């Protein structure tokens, strides 16, 4: 609740909160009464945010009234916090409540998130404005390090966060990983997975933070009205040098997978042993990471090459991995389900 003189500030805060999260923010003015009178009227809500200013505390009410009101708030289970508009001397009982000195902290308080200080990194502020303060899309330059930095600084502004390094991922795997980040297992059919992702994202305030993303047009239709997307495309690379790609694959680099197929095709005609190593390492890495659709394509490719080149060892390895993938797909997976959104939105008196 707020003093009548602070109505413009209360309205601005209410607008900010409604724009960035699923909340009903109702305004309760002191009117001609006292601050404690407005506080008691607000106790029918789940959350009560007290906007303090010299105008508000000028007619605060007695200490006994505040003690009775706070006891009632405790009995009702209402959560109380203070948002200071200007320096003033508050009622004594409000000193024990959380003091939120930034409007983003109010959002985090309502979401039940960590109330660490809001970062002041000037490089992140435009991303906060585009994607945290409201649902929106924040495209970043190729190779930008700000995707991971924003996830670290802003994850508490969202109900859920799905952060992925998309380097080397196929469209099918990308959608499957987004579903896994939401707590559900993917289906065998890509179209069904796209529909399921859109269904899960529709009612939730979720951040998709996708680094080195190639398939922006694939992701955009999945975004619900409350979702935000922060992404950076992959940095340019002149050529998929087979020797460099093989070296990166030996270090189990998933980023190298995006160049593996081109490097394999480039090396195969003149350097079969190098191409063979690239193919085998790619297959093993994809199987290890459970990127089964891509691994199955690699297994089929290697089986065909092994038949043409009469490479028995490669054929055996590719056949074994293919059999494992097909057997894995027959096993039902169990993943924790993402929490269902509340049936009613939060209520706030400010």
């Amino acid at each position: 609740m707020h003093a009548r003189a602070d109505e413009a500030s209360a309205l601005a805060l209410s607008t900010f909160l409604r724009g960035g999260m699923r909340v009903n923010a109702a305004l309760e003015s002191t009117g001609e009464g006292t601050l404690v009178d407005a506080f008691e009227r607000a106790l029918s809500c789940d959350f009560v945010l007290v906007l303090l200013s010299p105008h508000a505390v000028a007619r605060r009410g007695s200490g006994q009234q505040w003690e009775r009101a706070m006891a009632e708030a405790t009995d009702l289970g209402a959560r109380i916090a203070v948002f200071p508009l200007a320096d003033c001397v508050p009622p004594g009982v409000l000193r024990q409540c959380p003091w939120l000195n930034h409007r983003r902290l109010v959002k985090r308080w309502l979401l039940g998130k960590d109330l660490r200080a809001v970062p002041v990194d000037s490089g992140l502020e435009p991303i906060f404005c585009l994607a945290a303060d409201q649902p929106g899309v924040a495209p970043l330059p190729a190779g930008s390090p700000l995707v991971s930095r924003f996830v670290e600084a802003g994850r508490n502004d969202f109900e859920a966060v799905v952060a992925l390094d998309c380097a080397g991922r196929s469209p099918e795997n990308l959608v499957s990983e987004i579903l896994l980040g939401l707590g559900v297992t993917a289906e065998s059919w890509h179209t069904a997975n796209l529909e399921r992702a859109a269904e899960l994202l529709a009612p939730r305030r979720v951040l998709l933070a996708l680094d080195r993303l190639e398939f922006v047009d694939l992701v955009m239709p999945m975004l619900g009205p409350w979702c935000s997307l922060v992404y950076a495309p992959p940095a340019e690379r002149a050529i998929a040098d087979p020797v460099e790609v093989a070296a990166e694959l030996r270090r189990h680099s998933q980023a190298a997978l995006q160049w593996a197929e081109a490097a394999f095709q480039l090396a195969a005609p003149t350097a079969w042993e190098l191409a063979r190593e690239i193919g085998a390492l790619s297959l093993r890495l994809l199987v290890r990471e459970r990127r089964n659709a891509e691994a199955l394509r690699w297994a089929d490719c290697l089986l065909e090459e092994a038949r043409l080149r009469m490479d028995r060892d490669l054929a055996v390895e590719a056949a074994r991995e293919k059999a494992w993938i097909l057997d894995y797909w027959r096993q039902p997976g169990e993943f924790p389900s993402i929490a269902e959104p509340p049936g009613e939105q939060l209520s706030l008196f400010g």
Side-chain angles (χ1 to χ4, degrees), residues 1-7 10 26-42 49-61 66 85 91 94 349-350:
M1 68 281 189
H2 61 90
R4 175 182 292 178
D6 298 323
E7 184 172 357
L27 302 181
E28 179 68 34
S29 172
T30 57
E32 297 298 326
T34 63
L35 189 65
V36 72
D37 293 334
F39 181 85
E40 290 174 334
R41 291 195 297 271
L49 184 65
V50 184
L51 275 62
L52 285 185
S53 71
H55 301 291
V57 300
R59 296 173 58 84
R60 69 180 68 188
W66 276 105
L85 297 174
L94 292 181
F349 273 80

Side-chain angles (χ1 to χ4, degrees), residues 57-314:
V57 300
R59 296 173 58 84
R60 69 180 68 188
S62 69
Q64 289 183 339
Q65 287 178 297
W66 276 105
E67 289 176 2
R68 287 196 301 269
M70 288 298 288
E72 182 181 356
T74 301
D75 293 340
L76 293 173
R79 291 174 56 189
I80 315 298
V82 174
F83 186 79
L85 297 174
D87 290 337
C88 60
V89 179
V93 293
L94 292 181
R95 298 177 190 271
Q96 62 189 333
C97 300
W99 280 58
L100 311 174
N101 59 4
H102 195 290
R103 58 184 186 173
R104 289 182 186 137
L105 287 180
V106 177
K107 184 168 57 174
R108 296 178 180 189
W109 172 67
L110 291 169
L111 290 170
K113 302 288 186 174
D114 187 3
L115 296 180
R116 291 178 297 176
V118 174
V120 295
D121 188 329
S122 59
L124 295 178
E125 183 61 26
I127 310 176
F128 268 95
C129 293
L130 284 172
D133 296 345
Q134 60 185 339
V137 178
L140 303 176
S144 172
L146 295 181
V147 176
S148 58
R149 285 169 55 190
F150 178 71
V151 170
E152 179 65 23
R155 65 169 56 252
N156 289 322
D157 287 60
F158 301 88
E159 296 172 24
V161 175
V162 178
L164 293 173
D165 184 348
C166 305
R169 297 187 186 277
S170 68
E172 293 83 0
N173 177 257
L174 175 59
V175 177
S176 297
E177 289 296 320
I178 289 174
L179 283 174
L180 186 60
L182 295 173
V184 300
T185 184
E187 303 290 340
S188 301
W189 298 102
H190 181 52
T191 302
N193 289 334
L194 285 170
E195 294 173 352
R196 181 62 171 148
E199 178 186 343
L200 288 171
L201 291 170
R204 298 176 173 90
R205 183 74 174 106
V206 177
L207 169 66
L208 297 183
L210 306 179
D211 200 9
R212 295 190 280 188
L213 173 66
E214 295 184 68
F215 311 108
V216 180
D217 292 341
L218 175 73
V219 176
M220 292 297 290
M222 291 191 293
L223 299 179
W226 288 103
C227 291
S228 288
L229 169 66
V230 176
Y231 75 93
E236 293 290 336
R237 180 167 177 167
I239 187 170
D241 183 279
V243 175
E244 292 183 8
V245 171
E248 292 182 23
L249 288 171
R250 293 187 199 107
R251 294 192 292 268
H252 309 291
S253 168
Q254 290 194 54
L257 289 170
Q258 63 184 315
W259 308 106
E261 184 175 355
F264 178 85
Q265 298 296 340
L266 189 61
T270 58
W272 169 243
E273 287 301 318
L274 180 59
R276 183 186 191 279
E277 182 184 17
I278 291 172
L281 289 171
S282 297
L283 177 58
R284 293 169 197 164
L285 183 55
L286 287 167
V287 169
R288 190 188 73 176
E289 297 298 323
R290 300 293 191 267
R291 295 167 62 169
N292 292 328
E294 295 164 272
L296 188 60
R297 286 197 294 272
W298 264 108
D300 287 336
C301 172
L302 294 179
L303 280 170
E304 179 63 18
E305 290 289 342
R307 182 185 66 81
L308 293 173
R309 299 173 186 274
M310 301 183 67
D311 188 330
R312 183 178 182 277
D313 291 341
L314 181 61

